[in-house]
């Protein structure tokens, strides 16, 4: 028998009694303004910087304010949606030139449609593509506390993490 | 392992005594972990937290009840997505599979992000013996790797290292300036050192926090982004996972992602949560599914739920024994309360003492995000250890006697009265000295009150 068959046979021989799936989670609902506020607050707590891009506002001007004139070592990517409870933004590899762009540069800017903010990971998981590919939830910059629990940003990936909630981009057309 | 009278003085107890010998360091270790526990308390202050733990326990029990079908579904979906799925009965088979993949591609240097499974299988020494350099990329893991030590905590591998010691280690190994102990500068030096290494690695090995049957995907959570640097930079990604890591659906994954980082480090989620469902264009991706004794655990009804563990580390951080004895005292790849119920299942003869390395205070069960009944399993292991003749010498006499006194109120009251007299009459040397296995300098038997609470209450009742 192959290792596969040996393992599957051993599992079936264990005769674990049926156990029902976890009950469906109660969906939370809140208005968009509240969710954005919660997202931005959570983002500050995880060491990121967030801002809104209002309709008609120039992206370049906004980036200048955030980053200064020097755009070296900066990766700007599109996020598909944001999660209010933990400041995570979902970025899909299909929107990047290559997968390791996600950890390539010292500064990461994620631009996400301002109307695509969901309350929790329950709602978020429904929006993550199920097919082949790769994607990330990014929540703040790369960090470590491995040296005496002292928090340091930029352990390996980004040292600074910015999220722009973009009111000029509509989730329906962006998705 | 020799058995000492009434109290084990070997294995965990001896190592813990050694750890406590440096009182200042022991207090620092205790405090570091307690801070993490407090962060966890703040992060879990959600109205739905207890319901989330219920869901975590339920989805894991569900996955274990359908384990074979879910693994087959995972294999089918992942294979259709271009992932090579391998099965390993034990550690040796796992290591051979990984070596085979690397040898076929002539890889001589690999990066590895944190994976307790590869620690369990002894992958690093195995690959090194076959001429392959392994670079652990998590900062904490790199610290202990450079020091040639195993991790002392499943989530914070170098929690027992002080900054000055890390500075000295980095000075010796990666050339940081002598006397440097600033965490920012040491981390920056490690970043440069690791990035250089990562660019030339032929493969990136990762663990898996979760496998999702529905998508055939592997989910890896890190704060540093080191798993991403490893798996996306090298042409080959190998994910190594125990078969118990599987869940049925993305909904289940969502629950675990809400529980994991909050419980472990007190964060709402890790900085990077990576979902890999297929190899990158032009690259290869392998998943190695490992049994290594897990199906025996699955067949053991009383102990089965230990397989629910998501390796968050919350039980370590809260455990008064772990915090004051250090990870190495456990002598097992997984430390703390969860290690103490897993290790005896691997080898009862070698690890039975861990079942006794607990006060059964229950704090681990209170914080476990998937509600593993750790104290009950510790008790069951004690019963099994005793039945197998591993209980400390003297327990066989002591416990029947104690049981006789404690099982009836009149005997208990009578026994307590005798004990109070004995403490007064017997010489202190006999009670607190070497003759008593439960005392030592700094740890005396408390003086019993002259009167029992019950007697006091009776007397007071008469006055009213």
């Amino acid at each position: 028998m192959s290792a596969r068959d040996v393992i599957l046979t051993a599992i079936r021989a264990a005769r674990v009694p049926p156990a029902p799936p976890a009950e469906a989670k109660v969906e939370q609902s809140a208005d968009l303004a509240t969710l954005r506020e919660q997202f931005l607050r959570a983002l500050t707590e995880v060491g990121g910087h967030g801002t809104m891009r209002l309709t008609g506002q120039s992206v370049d001007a906004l980036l200048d304010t955030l980053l200064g004139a020097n755009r070296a070592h900066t990766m700007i990517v599109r996020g598909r949606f944001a999660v209010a409870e933990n400041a995570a933004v979902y970025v899909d590899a299909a929107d990047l030139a290559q997968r390791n762009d996600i950890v390539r540069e010292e500064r990461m800017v994620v631009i996400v449609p301002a109307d695509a903010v969901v309350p929790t990971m329950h709602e978020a998981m429904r929006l993550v593509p199920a097919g082949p590919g790769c994607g990330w939830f990014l929540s703040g910059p790369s960090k470590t506390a491995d040296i005496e629990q002292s928090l340091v940003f930029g352990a390996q990936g980004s040292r600074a993490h910015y999220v722009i909630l973009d009111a000029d981009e509509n989730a329906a057309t962006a998705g | 392992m020799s058995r000492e009278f009434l109290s084990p003085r070997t294995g965990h107890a001896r190592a813990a005594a050694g750890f406590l010998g440096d009182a200042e360091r022991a207090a620092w270790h205790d405090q570091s972990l307690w801070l993490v526990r407090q962060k966890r308390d703040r992060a879990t202050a959600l109205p739905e937290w207890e319901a989330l733990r219920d869901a975590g326990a339920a989805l894991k029990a569900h996955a274990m009840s359908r384990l074979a079908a879910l693994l087959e579904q995972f294999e089918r979906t992942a294979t259709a997505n271009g992932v090579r799925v391998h099965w390993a009965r034990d550690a040796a088979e796992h290591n051979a599979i990984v070596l085979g993949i690397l040898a076929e591609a002539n890889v001589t240097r690999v990066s590895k992000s944190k994976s307790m499974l590869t620690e369990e299988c002894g992958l690093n020494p195995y690959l090194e013996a076959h001429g392959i350099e392994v670079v652990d990329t998590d900062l904490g893991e790199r610290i202990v790797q450079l020091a040639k030590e195993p991790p002392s905590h499943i989530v914070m591998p170098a929690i027992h290292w002080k900054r000055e010691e890390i500075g000295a280690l980095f000075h010796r190994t990666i050339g940081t300036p002598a006397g440097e102990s600033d965490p920012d500068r040491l981390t920056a030096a490690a970043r440069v050192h690791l990035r250089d290494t990562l660019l030339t690695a032929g493969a990136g090995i990762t663990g898996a926090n979760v496998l999702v049957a529905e998508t055939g995907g592997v989910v890896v959570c890190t704060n540093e982004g080191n798993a991403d640097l490893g798996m996306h930079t090298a042409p080959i990604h190998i994910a190594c996972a125990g078969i118990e890591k599987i869940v049925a659906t993305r909904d289940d994954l969502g629950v675990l992602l809400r529980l994991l980082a909050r419980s472990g480090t007190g964060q709402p989620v890790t900085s990077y949560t990576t979902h890999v469902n297929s190899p990158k264009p032009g690259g290869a991706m392998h998943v190695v599914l490992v049994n290594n004794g897990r199906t025996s655990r699955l067949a053991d009804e009383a102990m089965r739920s230990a397989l629910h563990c998501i390796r968050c580390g919350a039980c370590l951080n809260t455990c008064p024994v772990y915090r004051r004895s250090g990870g190495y005292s456990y002598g097992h790849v997984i430390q703390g309360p969860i290690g103490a119920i897993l290790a005896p299942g691997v080898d009862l003869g070698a690890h039975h003492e861990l079942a006794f390395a607990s006060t059964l205070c229950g704090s681990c069960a209170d914080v476990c995000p998937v509600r593993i009944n750790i104290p009950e399993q510790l008790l069951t292991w004690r019963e099994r250890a005793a039945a197998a003749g591993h209980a400390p010498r003297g327990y066989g006499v002591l416990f029947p006697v104690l049981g006789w006194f404690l099982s009836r109120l009149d005997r208990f009251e009578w026994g307590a009265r005798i004990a109070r007299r004995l403490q007064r009459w017997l010489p202190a040397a006999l009670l607190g000295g070497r003759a008593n296995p439960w005392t030592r300098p700094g740890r005396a038997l408390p003086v019993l009150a002259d009167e029992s609470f019950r007697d006091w209450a009776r007397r007071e009742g008469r006055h009213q």
Side-chain angles (χ1 to χ4, degrees):
Chain A
M1 274 208 298
S2 68
R4 176 186 189 276
D5 295 338
V6 169
I7 294 170
L8 291 174
T9 305
I11 292 171
R12 294 199 161 100
R15 298 195 177 280
V16 181
E23 279 177 45
K25 260 54 68 197
V26 181
E27 303 264 332
Q28 300 192 1
S29 60
D31 63 277
L32 204 52
T34 310
L35 290 176
R36 281 178 196 153
E37 213 173 279
Q38 195 192 346
F39 172 85
L40 291 171
R41 203 168 48 238
L43 184 61
T44 310
E45 279 164 22
V46 300
H49 311 276
T51 188
M52 279 285 292
R53 179 187 167 219
L54 305 174
T55 311
Q57 202 176 2
S58 138
V59 177
D60 268 339
L62 197 56
L63 288 174
D64 279 345
T65 325
L66 285 179
L67 309 170
N70 185 356
R71 301 278 170 80
H73 306 296
T74 306
M75 179 66 64
I76 302 176
V77 302
R78 207 187 70 166
R80 300 233 175 138
F81 57 90
V83 189
E85 68 161 336
N86 58 19
V89 178
Y90 180 78
V91 176
D92 199 277
D95 301 331
L96 305 179
Q98 46 190 329
R99 289 186 188 179
N100 71 353
D101 281 353
I102 206 75
V103 281
R104 183 187 303 281
E105 299 293 356
E106 303 207 345
R107 293 193 293 193
M108 170 65 86
V109 181
V110 190
I111 303 176
V112 64
D115 61 353
V117 188
V118 299
T120 73
M121 292 302 270
H122 302 307
E123 297 79 14
M125 290 317 300
R126 313 260 158 92
L127 303 173
V128 174
C134 176
W136 299 266
F137 282 100
L138 296 184
S139 172
S142 161
K143 55 177 83 76
T144 182
D146 276 338
I147 301 179
E148 272 196 26
Q149 286 301 298
S150 160
L151 182 64
V152 180
F153 292 145
Q156 316 227 7
S158 58
R159 292 178 199 270
H161 176 86
Y162 305 87
V163 178
I164 298 174
L165 294 175
D166 190 350
D168 236 13
E169 196 186 0
N170 186 300
T173 55
Chain B
M1 196 178 287
S2 75
R3 290 163 59 209
E4 306 258 343
F5 184 60
L6 290 181
S7 173
R9 293 282 171 84
T10 54
H12 177 269
R14 175 167 297 183
F19 182 85
L20 289 167
D22 186 342
E24 186 269 331
R25 176 181 287 266
W28 165 80
H29 186 266
D30 176 21
Q31 201 51 40
S32 301
L33 288 152
W34 188 247
L35 286 174
V36 183
R37 157 73 210 257
Q38 288 175 315
K39 274 171 67 187
R40 173 256 170 222
D41 291 349
R42 289 192 291 274
T44 58
L46 303 175
E48 70 270 36
W49 181 251
E50 295 305 322
L52 263 183
R53 293 176 69 208
D54 288 338
L59 73 90
K60 277 293 193 174
H62 175 67
M64 292 308 112
S65 78
R66 296 191 53 227
L67 189 54
L70 291 179
L71 289 169
E72 285 170 327
Q73 185 189 1
F74 176 86
E75 181 187 43
R76 213 163 41 239
T77 318
T79 306
N81 288 342
V83 178
R84 280 280 311 278
V85 178
H86 309 257
W87 302 73
R89 271 171 290 199
D90 53 26
E93 234 171 56
H94 162 266
N95 292 347
I97 289 168
V98 174
L99 179 66
I101 297 166
L102 299 176
E104 198 183 304
N106 295 313
V107 173
T108 54
R109 178 185 255 189
V110 296
S111 72
K112 186 162 75 67
S113 66
K114 199 150 60 200
S115 152
M116 294 317 297
L117 178 79
T118 59
E119 291 289 333
E120 172 187 327
C121 293
L123 181 66
N124 284 22
Y126 175 84
L127 291 181
E128 280 154 12
H130 287 83
I132 292 170
E133 186 192 352
V134 185
V135 179
D136 282 331
T137 58
D138 172 81
L139 178 59
E141 282 218 321
R142 188 62 181 154
I143 291 167
V144 292
Q145 186 184 36
L146 289 170
K148 299 183 169 44
E149 284 181 355
S152 77
H153 184 292
I154 56 175
V155 174
M156 299 173 283
I159 186 77
H160 60 298
W161 277 74
K162 294 198 172 186
R163 64 181 71 192
E164 293 79 15
E165 295 160 348
I166 296 167
L169 174 74
F170 278 10
H171 174 60
R172 205 167 66 239
T173 50
I174 66 171
T176 52
E180 182 62 81
S181 65
D182 175 66
D184 277 296
R185 286 196 285 272
L186 291 175
T187 303
R191 176 188 171 106
V192 173
H193 158 74
L194 284 167
R195 283 214 165 218
D196 286 351
T197 316
L198 279 161
L199 291 177
T200 56
I205 297 173
T206 70
N209 289 88
V210 186
L211 303 171
V212 185
E214 182 189 18
T215 60
V218 174
V219 178
V220 182
C221 304
T222 74
N223 278 320
E224 298 181 17
N226 59 306
D228 290 290
L229 260 170
M231 74 174 107
H232 307 312
T233 306
I236 301 170
H237 171 206
I238 307 170
C240 303
I243 52 175
E244 85 283 13
K245 288 286 167 194
I246 201 147
V247 300
T249 65
R250 283 176 297 162
D251 281 347
D252 293 344
L253 171 64
V255 173
L256 293 187
L257 291 177
R258 295 193 75 193
L259 289 166
L260 178 64
R262 284 188 173 93
S263 299
T265 53
Q267 298 171 262
V269 71
T270 49
S271 299
Y272 296 81
T273 305
T274 308
H275 306 244
V276 213
N277 294 3
S278 66
K280 64 180 170 188
M285 177 174 167
H286 300 262
V287 176
V288 189
L289 300 172
V290 185
N291 182 7
N292 207 32
R294 285 161 177 76
T295 47
S296 312
R297 193 76 184 207
L298 192 69
D300 187 345
E301 195 190 338
M303 307 289 202
R304 181 179 297 143
S305 69
L307 293 172
H308 296 182
C309 177
I310 57 174
R311 303 288 188 266
C312 70
C315 63
L316 282 69
N317 303 340
T318 201
C319 178
V321 175
Y322 173 85
R323 285 189 276 116
R324 291 173 180 83
S325 61
Y328 295 147
S329 64
Y330 289 81
H332 185 62
V333 62
I334 309 286
Q335 317 81 13
I338 183 66
I341 62 169
L342 286 172
V346 176
D347 183 346
L348 186 61
H351 298 296
H352 56 85
E353 205 192 297
L354 293 182
F356 299 89
S358 167
T359 63
L360 301 180
C361 74
S363 185
C364 48
D366 287 343
V367 298
C368 177
V370 289
R371 298 199 190 277
I372 301 171
N373 58 341
I374 297 175
E376 286 165 38
Q377 294 196 32
L378 283 168
L379 262 181
T380 310
W381 280 123
R382 287 183 188 184
E383 285 165 16
R384 292 187 190 177
H390 294 307
R393 203 156 52 85
Y395 272 36
V397 176
L398 176 72
F399 279 91
V401 171
L402 273 178
W404 190 85
F405 277 110
L406 297 178
S407 59
R408 265 180 43 189
L409 184 60
D410 55 339
R411 290 178 196 160
F412 171 75
E413 289 200 309
W414 179 62
R417 214 160 285 143
I418 295 175
R420 274 193 293 278
R421 300 230 169 95
L422 277 179
Q423 194 182 32
R424 231 170 299 142
W425 295 339
L426 286 176
L430 191 61
L431 289 171
R434 283 174 177 278
N436 185 339
W438 288 343
T439 62
R440 62 207 57 177
R443 189 174 134 186
L445 198 65
V447 178
L448 296 173
D450 288 337
E451 184 182 29
S452 76
F453 175 75
R454 190 175 290 275
D455 287 342
W456 173 84
R458 272 193 210 111
R459 192 160 50 74
E460 288 296 303
R462 270 205 306 276
H463 290 316
Q464 283 170 12

